[in-house]
Each structure stands twice: as C-alpha cells, then as structure tokens.
Amino acid sequence: DADVTQTPRNRITKTGKRIMLECSQTKGHDRMYWYRQDPGLGLRLIYYSFDVKDINKGEISDGYSVSRQAQAKFSLSLESAIPNQTALYFCATSDPGRGDNQPQHFGDGTRLSIL
Amino acid sequence: RKEVEQDPGPFNVPEGATVAFNCTYSNSASQSFFWYRQDCRKEPKLLMSVYSSGNEDGRFTAQLNRASQYISLLIRDSKLSDSATYLCVVNMFSSNTGKLIFGQGTTLQVKP
C-alpha cells in the first residue's frame, strides 16, 4: 500500500461545483502539504500544515481551503471551482524531527479538470 | 527572477553519455537542497539530497556551490530508464520550516 494516498485520482467537474480532494498518510509525519502542478510552471505550494489544526497559506492559496482534523489526513477544497484550477494536484508529507535536510514524500496525484 | 531556475531542456543524449544539469537559486540563506525525479504524469520522487561537500549515489553526483548559488546533478553512463524530468528543490528559509521551492524541471531523453 502507498504511504501517501490521494483520492480521487482523476476528477472532471463543472465550473461552480464544490470539490474536495483527500490525502491520507501512514508515514506518521506531522507535516503535510498541497501543491498544484501546471505545465511549464513546476509545483506551487497551495497550503501546508505542521500539525493538527495548524494551517498556513502557501504561494497560491486563493480559491482553496484546507482542513487538518487528524495527523494522518489533510483535505483540500475548492469551494467554487473555476477552469484555471484545472491542474495536477499533489499531497506531500515530511518529518520535521530529523534536522534541516527534510525531503518530502508525494502521493500519486489527482488530475482535476474543470469544464 | 525566479526563486529556483532550471533549463527546461529537453536534453537529448545517447545511452552511455554523461549529462549534467545546473540549477540556480535566489535566496542565499537556503539550507536544504534536493534533486527529485518525475516521470510523465507521475508523482515526484526523491532522487538524492545535496550536501555541502557534494555527494554521490551510484551513477549520480550532486554538487552544491553556495558562493555562486547553484546546485548541479551529473549522471554518468546514462540509461534509457533515466529518461524523466529532474526537479531542483530548495528550502528557501534559514530555519527548519520544511517549505520547499521547486524548479520547473529539466527534461532528459536518453536515446538508444
């Protein structure tokens, strides 16, 4: 089983719909992140959380919200989806307890299309 | 100026070739550096961390030049399976905040 699991893997929906992307992890990491990836732009940080109920905005948080009700789960919501939110979304985790060199571990991604 | 810049390529090389990628970063206080590999439509996977003294993992060598603010990745004896996009990743903050900035990636195509 994957350590970082994202659901759904693919989603097509219409403008104005509310969408929730789920991320769960079995790694026991405190830190969790949501990114989006667009062609030619690389990964951009949307929100991140360092602990349960800790929420921090990333580079591009407008139009998104998140919830961290448990250590293992971090959900991303689009309250009213718009076409320019069409992208590949990744959840990631990291372990803060091992010094500065902290890699992040990614889920398989969610491909989201807003029509 | 982008916080982390990479040449997007693509780099097209024959099997067995040696290829090198560079990446520049803007924040001199950056502390952590990584190379990730991403296959088409897949998640990024950690290839290697980059240490101050440089480090090697099999055919892969990573170097850090703090004075010039760049990191490099050298791949020796390229294999077809090395074809992927290589992401340069930098922790842009001087404290252990765990926030990483990703370059847009350099695409490598290894040809038979």
Side-chain angles (χ1 to χ4, degrees), chain B residues 21-54:
Chain B
F21 310 135
N22 282 340
C23 164
T24 58
Y25 59 94
S26 61
N27 188 334
S28 60
S30 300
Q31 293 295 313
S32 308
F33 308 89
F34 309 92
W35 284 103
Y36 277 71
R37 170 192 170 126
Q38 186 174 25
D39 293 289
C40 187
R41 302 165 77 91
K42 300 282 191 180
E43 77 277 19
K45 292 184 178 178
L46 179 68
L47 179 65
M48 58 198 303
S49 301
V50 185
Y51 301 116
S52 296
S53 55

Side-chain angles (χ1 to χ4, degrees), chain A residues 2-21:
Chain A
D3 293 325
V4 184
T5 303
Q6 291 183 232
T7 55
R9 294 293 311 278
N10 293 281
R11 178 80 184 271
I12 300 173
T13 192
K14 295 181 178 179
T15 297
K17 293 291 187 182
R18 183 178 187 274
I19 302 157
M20 181 178 285
L21 308 184

Side-chain angles (χ1 to χ4, degrees), chain B:
Chain B
R1 181 185 174 186
K2 290 181 181 177
E3 293 175 299
V4 177
E5 286 201 75
Q6 295 181 252
D7 180 347
F11 285 62
N12 294 299
V13 303
E15 269 187 295
T18 295
V19 61
F21 310 135
N22 282 340
C23 164
T24 58
Y25 59 94
S26 61
N27 188 334
S28 60
S30 300
Q31 293 295 313
S32 308
F33 308 89
F34 309 92
W35 284 103
Y36 277 71
R37 170 192 170 126
Q38 186 174 25
D39 293 289
C40 187
R41 302 165 77 91
K42 300 282 191 180
E43 77 277 19
K45 292 184 178 178
L46 179 68
L47 179 65
M48 58 198 303
S49 301
V50 185
Y51 301 116
S52 296
S53 55
N55 48 298
E56 188 174 306
D57 183 0
R59 298 181 293 108
F60 299 84
T61 300
Q63 297 278 354
L64 168 63
N65 185 319
R66 285 192 184 274
S68 301
Q69 293 180 212
Y70 76 83
I71 67 174
S72 64
L73 178 67
L74 181 78
I75 305 175
R76 291 183 298 278
D77 189 21
S78 300
K79 312 291 185 191
L80 295 176
S81 57
D82 293 334
S83 297
T85 297
Y86 292 84
L87 305 177
C88 170
V89 184
V90 177
N91 182 333
M92 299 297 290
F93 302 95
S94 58
S95 61
N96 185 19
T97 63
K99 286 175 59 177
L100 304 179
I101 305 296
F102 289 76
Q104 69 176 54
T106 297
T107 298
L108 173 65
Q109 288 284 350
V110 181
K111 306 289 189 182

Side-chain angles (χ1 to χ4, degrees), chain A residues 33 37 48 50 100-101 104 107, chain B residues 32 36 38 43 51 97-98:
Chain A
Y33 311 81
Q37 187 174 34
Y48 62 102
F50 285 170
D100 271 349
N101 238 4
Q104 293 181 7
Chain B
S32 308
Y36 277 71
Q38 186 174 25
E43 77 277 19
Y51 301 116
T97 63

